[in-house]
Structure formats: structure tokens, C-alpha cells
Amino acid sequence: MARAAGGGRKGGGDLAAAPSNQVIKRAPPVPPELHYDEARLLWRSTVKTLIGRQQLTEDHLPLVLAYCNSFGLYLTAEKMVLDDGITAATSEGIKKHPAVAVRQDAISSMVRIGSLLGLDPTSYRRLMGGGGSPDGDGGNEFKDF
């Protein structure tokens, strides 16, 4: 049976949580693959947040690593743009500084990975299965229609 356009969400509710025997309860050590001091700090706080939400499992660790390295790369590119400006002189004339594109790519990566990990409000609510309303309808005033 086809659903009408604007017919609301598909599916029947909450996403399955990770089995309790897979949830990491203690922070893993900071991996040596983190190349920036700021990335190491972000690792600690992100891991702490995900452990507190009981959402961190082994398969999340590579994503957290990529998220933190993207943050460090973003900060490095941002500093280059601040120091050098948004343009660079080349033999062909004035062009956009290459760090501007690196900065944007790092931001895009952080947004994508952060969403997968539930680190933004929208994806966190989606991962938790609703909008926090006690009756589980997510505050949907049209649910009865």
C-alpha cells in the first residue's frame, strides 16, 4: 500500500539499542592516530558523552577517530586562512586559498560523522527514537489524524 505524500515517518518506533554486552563502559585510551592536540581533547569529551549515553561500541571507535581528526584538520585550515587570508596569489592570478576548501571538507566530514554518532540534536533524537515526549509521540500534535 502506498503512503500519501507528507504522510509522516515510516517505521514503527524506536531503533534497536546496542546489546548491553557490546556497550563500552570505560573510556578507551586516546589512539596514537590522532594527529592534533585539539583532536585528543575532543576524543576524550566525545567518548565521555557517548559512554554517558550508553551508545559507544567498538564499531563506533573508527568514526570517533575520523570525527576528531577532522576537527583538528578544520582548526589547522582555519588558522591558515586567518594567517594567510582567503585568497592566494598564483602564477595564474588570485585564487581561493587551498585551505578554504580543506576547511569546508573538514566541516562537512564532521557534520556527517557527528550525525552518524548522534552528536547533533536532530540525529540524537532520531537515534533515541523520538522527541522526548513521555508518551513517545515526539510531541506530534497530528498523531491522532
Side-chain angles (χ1 to χ4, degrees), residues 31-133:
E33 296 87 2
L34 288 172
H35 305 294
Y36 308 94
D37 291 336
E38 297 86 356
R40 290 181 192 93
L41 292 173
L42 185 61
W43 170 273
R44 289 182 185 102
S45 66
T46 303
V47 163
K48 182 179 176 182
T49 298
L50 294 173
I51 287 173
R53 294 177 181 174
Q54 297 181 350
Q55 292 178 314
L56 187 64
T57 60
E58 282 289 324
D59 57 336
H60 290 120
L61 296 178
L63 288 172
V64 177
L65 178 72
Y67 178 77
C68 295
N69 270 333
S70 292
F71 179 68
L73 186 59
Y74 160 75
L75 291 178
T76 301
E78 183 71 18
K79 182 176 181 338
M80 288 179 75
V81 170
L82 289 174
D83 291 346
D84 302 340
I86 60 171
T87 59
T90 68
S91 61
E92 300 160 2
I94 302 291
K95 302 247 178 177
K96 181 169 59 171
H97 195 293
V100 173
V102 171
R103 183 178 141 270
Q104 190 58 42
D105 289 346
I107 290 170
S108 295
S109 177
M110 287 174 54
V111 168
R112 257 189 335 273
I113 297 168
S115 180
L116 290 172
L117 292 169
L119 295 174
D120 63 273
T122 302
S123 62
Y124 177 68
R125 280 193 297 275
R126 178 180 46 80
L127 289 172
M128 293 295 99
S133 175

